[in-house]
Amino acid sequence: MTLNERLLLSGDEAVALAAFDCNVALGAGYPGTPSTEILEYFAHLGGHAEWSPNEKVAFEVALGAAFGSARALTTMKHVGLNVAADPLFTAAYSGVNGALIVVSADDPGMASSQNEQDNRRYAEAAGLPMLEPSDSQEAYDFFALAVEISEKWRIPVLFRMTTRVCHSKTIVRRREERMPAPTPAFDHDRRARVMVPANARPAHQRLRKKLAEMAAWNDDHGPNKVVASGPELGIITSGISFMHTREAAPQASFLKIGMTYPLPMEMIRRFAASVERCMVIEEGDPVLATAIRAAGIAVESKAEMYRFGELDVTRVRRILRRDESPEAAPLPGKPPQLCPGCPHRRVFEVLRDQDCIVAGDIGCYTLGVLPPFEAMDTCVCMGASIGVGLGLRHVLPEEQARRVVSVIGDSTFVHSGLTGLAEMVYNPPSTGHVVMILDNSTTAMTGLQEHPGTGRTLLGETAPKMSFEQVAQAMGVQQVHVLHGGSTVEDLEDLLAQARRSNDLTLIIARNPCLLSAKRDARRGKEEKA
Amino acid sequence: MKQPVINIKIAGLGGQGVIRASDILAEAAFRAGADVKKSELHGMSQRGGSVSSDVRFGDKVLSPMIPGGETDYLLVLSPDQVENNLPALKPGGVLIRPETVAESALRNKKSLNVALLGALSACLPIPEEVWLETIRQSFPEALYADNEQAFRLGREQGAKQYAH
Ligand SMILES: Cc1ncc(C[n+]2csc(CCOP(=O)(O)OP(=O)(O)O)c2C)c(N)n1
């Protein structure tokens, strides 16, 4: 691959290539569809990439790098930004010395997510600039612009992608030269970096000043474009919606906004005044429409039914002709399922047969909710299994409380299960509790990523391996049991039944490697030999 | 290449090579000089469930997803995935069925995806050398012969059955 070359890349790959070409010194993230491939490809290109235990830590590592005047990248799916929200909001005050680009990938339509939150809300809530590419070329170009904005205003930049931008392949022309790298160094700017109230108060004022400057810059120089056509219909849009809408309404004039926070409001005002009918087309929440109307500009927007799910050309045509009749449901395909022979299977058979109340979690094993198991009763967010299980144990009548079991995957346990164990030991229910870690030694759901419990880094190199059993013992969990591949279904049945009868706090680690990762490792081994 | 957008949907089950096939198709169209977009969903949907991928190419492609009912060629890898994908096909569009190439005629039955691409190739304005070169670069060298055989077999069948 050479500079200035034309390439067919996914949006994720384009971001990774841009990060590489912008000399980003460090990329840290946590896997999550549809963002996962960014760091994998960045590493493949030779960038310094790492999987952190969760998004908050990843964000903080990247923030540290940006405090040290380097360019840093952090990647996550939309809900990952909820986990990283605490440092996010205050990093908006502290700012950065280098560049910090925060990529979060929304999943409208929930192809592989537990909600369809619209992360554009974070830009306004935290007070951070946001860029939104609509294809791989823009993902590549806007990334470099994000670096420039971040360095110019010394502020983290939110980079919002969506499933169809991340996972569509489109053509990219690579830049002619790589961006020269800054030299990392630290200066003791304590008033800017130590957010005690006395420092944070002026920092908040500085932030609002930066935002006002950026809004003016966005009006004059932002990555926004007008596609002028007839005056009958003008459409204001951003991201992937631009592509669908141009196809659905080739005669319309367009204002396509690339930087959606702070908005180029004067540009919007002029555009709206230049057309007879002005309409906002956006996927998800009515974020643009609400902000534009609040600025006193009259625009039409989509009907409420189009808040749900992805947009596409067909739906945009319906929006434009104000069609609110029920949409034809797509014919159902075959739902996903646990792989034949997956080690999670027998755990769910036992949970089902013992009629457990299962506080579940997120991963491949969430498929335990489907027949023939139907052995999961709650699933909210990563790590919730332990807290939710404890809450149920505290309030349910004893007979039911004893049936409550928390089930969590290994990657999820490292991500956000550790604090749940601390809670369990500190505030134990009177009937005790049972937590099961379904340890298949990989992050299977998102495509077999490593984590601190697998003993390998993102690049597959050997790393220290966190021992869940030792951690649990050190935290004060009374009963810690490990079931390996050699153990039988009866072993699991007996252990679970006994744990549920006792008032102890029990952790059962069901350890059996994922079949897909075993296959992948065998293939890798073969390739290495060849 | 001066041409309107051609819409191709490839559908099947997780693990059948749907995405590999759409990668090859998109790459071949790209090498042939077209504007190309391709789109699919990764993740949850791949644990043995239905998978489909859209590829669009021509002078200028806008949305990466094929609008409902505008698919020119629907290529299906699994017999039980025909019916649910059929509404995507436009009236007069071409359905390339999994049975187009008999599994027993393949040196490696995992190459069904490439065999069906062969059948499709007989209908598309992409030169044969570009296809073969793209296939060569998409698999380890040891698997090339199997895939080439599958592609040629499919192409022959496609020329008889689908090309007009
Ligand atoms: C905050 C957050 N980050 C990332 C994800 C995406 N995600 C869902 S489950 C999961 C981890 C699955 O791994 P593990 O717990 O080991 O279970 P497995 O899939 O291997 O069975 C990830 C990364 C998410 N849903 N929420």
Side-chain angles (χ1 to χ4, degrees):
Chain A
M1 205 168 27
T2 52
L3 290 164
N4 203 26
E5 194 182 349
R6 273 173 89 248
L7 302 157
L8 184 62
L9 297 179
S10 71
D12 281 351
E13 290 167 338
V15 165
L17 182 62
F20 182 75
D21 287 346
C22 292
N23 264 306
V24 163
L26 175 95
Y30 182 75
T33 313
S35 68
T36 313
E37 293 89 341
I38 300 172
L39 285 187
E40 292 179 330
Y41 196 62
F42 183 58
H44 167 80
L45 293 167
H48 174 176
E50 58 168 63
W51 291 131
S52 301
N54 69 26
E55 294 85 353
K56 177 176 185 287
V57 176
F59 183 100
E60 289 154 353
V61 171
L63 179 63
F67 280 164
S69 301
R71 295 189 185 124
L73 161 69
T74 178
T75 70
M76 58 203 69
K77 70 184 287 157
H78 60 338
V79 287
L81 202 54
N82 302 337
V83 178
D86 202 3
L88 177 81
F89 277 66
T90 303
Y93 284 20
S94 69
V96 292
N97 297 44
L100 175 56
I101 314 304
V102 183
V103 178
S104 76
D106 285 17
D107 190 14
M110 297 173 274
S112 201
S113 300
Q114 70 266 39
N115 76 21
E116 55 182 341
Q117 69 183 48
D118 190 325
N119 274 13
R120 293 179 298 172
R121 305 275 196 201
Y122 269 113
E124 189 187 356
L128 287 173
M130 173 173 275
L131 293 171
E132 280 189 75
S134 65
D135 63 9
S136 302
Q137 182 72 61
E138 283 189 353
Y140 182 81
D141 294 339
F142 284 13
F143 190 91
L145 182 64
V147 169
E148 285 165 21
I149 292 170
S150 187
E151 289 180 348
K152 176 164 180 193
W153 277 285
R154 300 182 150 230
I155 194 165
V157 175
L158 288 169
F159 200 83
R160 178 191 184 245
M161 311 205 24
T162 56
T163 299
R164 296 291 176 172
V165 176
C166 291
H167 282 171
S168 294
K169 284 193 176 180
T170 72
I171 295 172
V172 175
R173 165 82 64 186
R174 198 176 172 193
R175 51 195 290 144
E176 286 172 22
E177 280 167 28
R178 293 182 67 195
M179 211 186 255
T183 311
F186 191 73
D187 74 295
H188 292 276
D189 191 355
R190 293 184 195 94
R191 270 189 304 185
R193 308 270 170 272
V194 182
M195 286 298 110
V196 292
N199 292 342
R201 283 183 202 112
H204 187 197
Q205 307 262 350
R206 278 199 302 279
L207 171 62
R208 293 297 146 188
K209 211 170 131 249
K210 287 181 190 178
L211 287 167
E213 280 174 32
M214 283 186 277
W217 174 87
N218 197 15
D219 258 322
D220 297 334
H221 309 285
N224 316 303
K225 66 180 178 196
V226 173
V227 182
S229 190
E232 296 81 28
L233 175 62
I235 293 172
I236 300 173
T237 186
S238 70
I240 193 72
S241 308
F242 172 64
M243 296 296 171
H244 304 321
T245 311
R246 273 209 83 188
E247 184 160 340
Q251 323 304 345
S253 293
F254 283 85
L255 170 57
K256 192 256 184 203
I257 303 176
M259 181 157 156
T260 47
Y261 195 82
L263 280 169
M265 209 52 93
E266 291 318 307
M267 196 176 186
I268 293 170
R269 200 181 301 282
R270 280 196 305 275
F271 178 79
S274 74
V275 293
E276 287 154 26
R277 181 181 165 206
C278 190
M279 185 136 193
V280 174
I281 302 282
E282 58 191 319
E283 202 167 56
D285 293 347
V287 174
L288 289 178
T290 307
I292 292 170
R293 287 196 187 117
I297 304 167
V299 286
E300 292 177 43
S301 58
K302 63 183 181 184
E304 177 67 8
M305 65 185 283
Y306 301 104
R307 179 201 290 262
F308 308 96
E310 286 190 294
L311 294 186
D312 56 24
V313 175
T314 310
R315 296 190 90 198
V316 172
R317 285 181 188 139
R318 288 173 58 102
I319 292 171
L320 290 170
R321 58 170 193 264
R322 296 237 151 266
D323 185 347
E324 292 176 42
S325 63
E327 296 171 276
L331 291 181
K334 188 164 172 262
Q337 49 181 289
L338 288 173
C339 301
C342 169
H344 294 335
R345 282 181 169 260
R346 61 180 191 172
V347 173
F348 285 107
E349 279 159 8
V350 172
L351 290 164
R352 175 195 61 199
D353 295 347
Q354 295 197 8
D355 196 20
C356 292
I357 296 170
V358 180
D361 224 301
I362 309 192
C364 279
Y365 54 94
T366 312
L367 295 168
V369 69
L370 300 177
F373 314 106
E374 296 178 270
M376 189 170 289
D377 298 289
T378 69
C379 167
V380 179
C381 67
M382 290 186 72
S385 57
I386 301 181
V388 167
L390 290 167
L392 286 167
R393 281 255 178 181
H394 283 305
V395 300
L396 289 178
E398 179 171 346
E399 182 277 322
Q400 288 190 12
R402 290 200 180 280
R403 286 160 52 205
V404 177
V405 177
S406 294
V407 169
I408 187 166
D410 49 325
S411 187
T412 305
F413 178 70
V414 179
H415 179 281
S416 48
L418 289 159
T419 43
L421 277 197
E423 161 72 15
M424 175 170 87
V425 172
Y426 187 48
N427 296 307
S430 59
T431 57
H433 190 43
V434 185
V435 174
M436 290 189 70
I437 301 180
L438 303 194
D439 182 3
N440 60 359
S441 298
T442 187
T443 317
M445 174 87 268
T446 46
L448 309 174
Q449 287 74 31
E450 307 298 340
H451 63 71
T454 68
R456 275 187 306 243
T457 67
L458 184 147
L459 288 173
E461 286 158 0
T462 307
K465 184 168 174 167
M466 174 173 163
S467 160
F468 303 153
E469 44 276 39
Q470 284 178 12
V471 167
Q473 273 154 357
M475 279 179 145
V477 178
Q478 291 147 341
Q479 304 282 342
V480 179
H481 302 276
V482 182
L483 289 176
H484 287 282
S487 58
T488 63
V489 175
E490 292 74 48
D491 294 338
L492 176 58
E493 281 169 351
D494 294 347
L495 190 56
L496 185 62
Q498 191 195 332
R500 290 177 40 230
R501 271 193 308 270
S502 85
N503 292 340
D504 287 348
L505 300 173
T506 305
L507 176 69
I508 301 174
I509 302 170
R511 186 166 287 150
N512 247 319
C514 165
L515 295 178
L516 296 176
S517 73
K519 252 195 240 166
R520 178 198 59 184
D521 294 346
R523 199 173 52 234
R524 275 195 190 155
K526 244 197 255 165
E527 277 166 23
E528 266 164 36
K529 264 197 217 142
Chain B
M1 205 187 282
K2 186 82 193 148
Q3 62 174 41
V5 172
I6 299 180
N7 295 318
I8 299 145
K9 188 185 275 298
I10 305 182
L13 295 174
Q16 283 196 302
V18 169
I19 291 176
R20 177 71 69 109
S22 72
D23 273 332
I24 293 171
L25 166 59
E27 183 69 27
F30 171 62
R31 288 174 187 215
D35 186 23
V36 187
K37 291 190 179 175
K38 87 149 203 156
S39 179
E40 73 257 335
L41 301 171
H42 299 195
M44 193 88 173
S45 49
Q46 276 171 62
R47 292 281 170 272
S50 300
V51 181
S52 76
S53 178
D54 289 2
V55 179
R56 316 184 73 195
F57 68 94
D59 280 345
K60 175 91 194 130
V61 184
L62 292 166
S63 173
M65 294 140 81
I66 303 172
E70 295 185 19
T71 300
D72 298 294
Y73 299 93
L74 172 63
L75 194 158
V76 187
L77 272 65
S78 176
D80 62 355
Q81 295 301 300
V82 172
E83 204 181 304
N84 55 318
N85 284 291
L86 218 45
L89 199 60
K90 75 172 188 196
V94 176
L95 168 65
I96 297 180
R97 293 180 170 276
E99 306 83 27
T100 303
V101 179
E103 227 177 59
S104 56
L106 295 172
R107 282 170 45 160
N108 179 343
K109 64 180 194 303
K110 280 197 188 145
S111 314
L112 180 67
N113 57 349
V114 174
L116 295 182
L117 277 183
L120 172 72
S121 77
C123 312
L124 298 182
I126 299 173
E128 185 169 358
E129 329 68 272
V130 174
W131 281 106
L132 290 173
E133 191 49 35
T134 309
I135 291 169
R136 184 181 289 283
Q137 290 182 13
S138 305
F139 295 96
E141 194 52 41
L143 291 178
Y144 178 67
D146 289 357
N147 282 295
E148 187 192 352
Q149 185 254 350
F151 180 80
R152 289 193 191 282
L153 196 69
R155 191 167 167 90
E156 232 170 77
Q157 200 55 40
K160 280 188 234 155
Q161 224 170 309
Y162 304 115
H164 29 250

